[in-house]
Each structure stands twice: as C-alpha cells, then as structure tokens.
Amino acid sequence: MNQKLIFSNDFNAALDEILADCDYNRLFVIADVNIDRFVMPRIADNPHIASAVKIVTKCGDVNKNIDTLAEVWSGLQQGGATRHSMVLNIGGGVITDMGGFAASTFKRGMRFVNIPTTLLAAVDAAVGGKTGVNFNGYKNEIGVFNEADAVLISSRFFDTLSLTELKSGYGEMVKHALLSDRNSLNEILDFHFEDVAGDTLLALVAKSVQVKKRIVEEDPTEKGIRKALNLGHTVGHAFESLAMKRLAPVPHGYAVAWGIITELVLSHFALGFDSSLLDRLGKYIVEHYGAFAFSCDDYDNLISLMRHDKKSSAGELNFTLLHDVGKVEINCNVEEKDLRDALDITRDIMHI
C-alpha cells in the first residue's frame, strides 16, 4: 500500500504537507450536503479548500449510485478537470468510495486524497484502495481497486458525529484489534467515549489503521490474507441485509459487532478460540451495541444470505475465523448445523 497516511489534528499543516508533494493544475473537493453544512465551515479558511472547485452531492448510501456518480463526473467536467487535476474526497465512506471511483475513472484517472470525517470511514473505507458505487440493489457492485495518494485522518471532526455513528466505526476497530494482539484489544475495550475529538482516540485510530495497512500491503486485491478483514462481516452483512428487508436498517459497525459474536462462537467450535475471551467480547458488544432481534425463524433467511455473500465462491458457508487474537484462519468452510448452533448461542449471549 503506497498511499501516504497522515494522522494529525493540525489539519492545515497536514493538508499543506500532502499537497506540497503533489503537482496539480486544479483542485476539486467532493463532499455531501451534510459535510458541506457541518464540516466545511471548520476548514473554510484553509487556502487550498477556499480555492477549490466544490462538488456537493446528496448524502447517504442510497445515493451512492450511478446517477450521483454521473453528477460528480459532470461537476468535474464543468469545472475543467484534467488528468493533472487533484480531488479531495471529504466525508464518510460513501464519499470516499464514490469520489475515489469518480477520480479513478474520469479522464482515465485523476489523483485523489481521502479526508474521512467519520470514524467508520477513517478506519475502513478511506484506507485500502477500494472504490465503487452500488448498482441494481447490490452494494459496491461497480468499482475498482485504486489507492488514494494520501489519507488525512483527524479526530477533530468526530465531535460532529452521534454516539451511534462513533460506535459504528468503533465496531471495525474491535475487529482490527482482534486481528492484532491482546494488548491492542485491551486498549480498545477499555476506551470510553468522553473526548472523541482529542489525541487519545486519534492514537487508537492510528494503531487500528496500521493493522489494515499491514494486511492490505500483503494482499492488495483480496486474493488471500486480506480476507482476514472480513472477520465479523459474513454474519454481519446477513444481519444488515435482514434489517434492510425489514425496513429497519442498522449501522454497519453494529452489524459487524454482532457478526463478530457469531463468528467467535464458530471460532471456538472449529479452532478452539478461548471461551472466556468469547464471553468477555460478547458482554462488551451487548453492553455497547445492544442486541439484534432475530429468532430461529430467521435462520433460513440468514443462512441463504451468507451463502450468497460475495466472499462465497460456490454457495458454501465461508468465514474468517480465529485460533486466538492475532491468529487468523481464512477460507473456513462451516457446516450448516454448526452455524445454526452458533446462531443459537449468539441469541443466548444477546439474551434474546
């Protein structure tokens, strides 16, 4: 992973450092209406931001689609963008995904920088080179692997987020800690959300992103070990999809946290993952994320969703599991009976 990662709460100095290394003829900012309202006024005095051509989109994952992408392309075209122009994607994962894809394809490719403003984007979407948009009801169906030139991560924007949004991002940090070591996991589980815009959370984010960076550098296009980053996601995506079918969507990081419980139960079954640590993680997740309401009547639907997960190549039930914290096993095929048993135990842990 060649992208430059900067973790700083001195936004102006950090952006100066990034752009000083870039030769570009015109600067563009892509943001959504919420970022334009709540974040842009905080950085409006930055001379780079003040002089940039701004492209403002509708917000939300429902608008991460071809129609909005075409509006972004039109904004670049009307603003006189060339292959030698530079894009700043300022926002959450929708903007970094879509803005990165727009920049990667306009004029056959422009350079871009991601400036995530949500915790979830900072530790997940903005880093690692995945770009794309949703298409025909499928998430990220159209996209390319292409890294940003740089990612500027600052916690100074996190106090614009609700506690729900913060916890959603933190669900991915729990996952990264499980892929790292016990000390990192203890740090994550011991953090309290009092000073989210300060340096303590920024330091935890930096450690979390380094876990992803290390894995992505080894496997940039998800042919092997990068699948470790799918921990919690096979079950989590099924919970997320079921919630959407119920017209009661849940935050991504919450679904991942709930998915981690089930996948750690499977890890205990298949690989001997420590039951006492499973119990600790289960209690932590229920305390901070509550429970996802599902019953045995939902198992067939959930299992079908897992069989059709994009990580499954032939309809098998395929998971990333753990022997222990930091000891990962990818491509673990699980029998349906074991998965049903794991869902039973998940419901017990969640007290549902």
Side-chain angles (χ1 to χ4, degrees):
M1 191 164 73
N2 296 318
Q3 63 187 188
K4 186 174 187 177
L5 299 176
I6 294 182
F7 302 89
S8 175
N9 281 328
D10 188 342
F11 178 85
N12 288 339
L15 188 58
D16 284 345
E17 178 184 344
I18 290 170
L19 295 182
D21 294 336
C22 301
D23 183 19
Y24 59 90
N25 62 4
R26 188 162 296 181
L27 188 65
F28 290 78
V29 166
I30 299 175
D32 67 32
V33 292
N34 283 340
I35 297 303
D36 190 48
R37 180 180 176 187
F38 295 110
V39 173
M40 296 304 290
R42 296 186 176 202
I43 57 176
D45 60 346
N46 180 281
H48 301 294
I49 301 295
S51 64
V53 178
K54 295 178 181 61
I55 300 172
V56 180
T57 74
K58 296 181 285 293
C59 62
D61 194 71
V62 68
N63 291 304
K64 193 175 81 170
N65 54 35
I66 293 292
D67 291 338
T68 308
L69 178 67
E71 293 173 6
V72 173
W73 281 330
S74 293
L76 292 170
Q77 186 178 62
Q78 292 165 12
T82 73
R83 293 181 66 187
H84 303 291
S85 300
M86 170 69 76
V87 170
L88 304 180
N89 297 313
I90 305 178
V94 170
I95 289 297
T96 60
D97 279 1
M98 183 168 57
F101 184 54
S104 299
T105 50
F106 189 79
K107 300 288 187 182
R108 297 195 176 97
M110 301 165 56
R111 299 168 75 183
F112 64 97
V113 171
N114 287 336
I115 304 175
T117 58
T118 68
L119 183 56
L120 181 59
V123 298
D124 188 26
V127 178
K130 286 184 177 180
T131 73
V133 294
N134 306 331
F135 183 67
N136 280 352
Y138 292 92
K139 285 180 66 68
N140 302 317
E141 185 79 350
I142 310 294
V144 296
F145 285 99
N146 189 30
E147 290 183 340
D149 278 41
V151 182
L152 197 175
I153 296 175
S154 171
S155 61
R156 63 175 289 185
F157 305 121
F158 294 164
D159 62 0
T160 66
L161 306 174
S162 68
L163 184 58
T164 297
E165 290 171 310
L166 286 165
K167 287 183 176 180
S168 182
Y170 212 72
E172 290 283 352
M173 294 175 68
V174 172
K175 177 199 76 177
H176 287 159
L178 281 165
L179 298 175
S180 184
D181 57 70
R182 294 222 179 197
N183 286 337
S184 296
L185 181 61
N186 287 334
E187 286 182 336
I188 289 295
L189 298 184
D190 290 340
F191 177 74
H192 301 284
F193 290 87
E194 283 94 9
D195 182 19
V196 297
D199 292 337
T200 301
L201 181 55
L202 183 62
L204 290 176
V205 168
K207 289 185 69 172
S208 187
V209 171
Q210 291 302 327
V211 174
K212 182 171 185 178
K213 179 176 185 291
R214 169 177 54 81
I215 292 171
V216 172
E217 283 178 339
E218 189 173 342
D219 179 22
T221 56
E222 206 169 29
K223 298 295 193 295
I225 193 58
R226 185 165 177 164
K227 294 178 182 179
L229 296 170
N230 293 327
L231 178 67
H233 282 65
T234 300
V235 177
H237 282 159
F239 286 156
E240 212 171 352
S241 296
L242 180 59
M244 290 179 67
K245 286 185 177 183
R246 294 172 172 174
L247 302 180
V250 296
H252 173 72
Y254 279 60
V256 169
W258 296 324
I260 284 173
I261 295 178
T262 307
E263 294 184 23
L264 290 185
V265 173
L266 289 171
S267 296
H268 175 67
F269 288 168
L271 304 175
F273 186 86
D274 183 1
S275 60
S276 62
L277 186 54
L278 167 58
D279 182 63
R280 183 186 177 197
L281 264 294
K283 288 178 178 176
Y284 176 90
I285 289 168
V286 172
E287 178 185 351
H288 290 84
Y289 295 90
F292 180 67
F294 70 103
S295 72
C296 55
D297 292 336
D298 295 309
Y299 287 6
D300 286 347
N301 198 348
L302 289 168
I303 290 169
S304 176
L305 288 165
M306 292 181 221
R307 289 191 188 280
H308 289 87
D309 189 274
K310 64 184 177 182
K311 298 177 286 299
S312 172
S313 59
E316 75 280 7
L317 295 165
N318 186 270
F319 297 87
T320 291
L321 302 179
L322 296 178
H323 295 269
D324 195 357
V325 178
K327 295 182 180 178
V328 183
E329 189 80 29
I330 63 172
N331 296 326
C332 296
N333 289 338
V334 169
E335 295 296 325
E336 182 174 321
K337 178 186 180 303
D338 291 334
L339 178 55
R340 289 178 179 272
D341 289 344
L343 290 171
D344 283 340
I345 294 173
T346 300
R347 290 171 56 222
D348 288 340
I349 291 171
M350 291 183 175
H351 308 294
I352 57 174

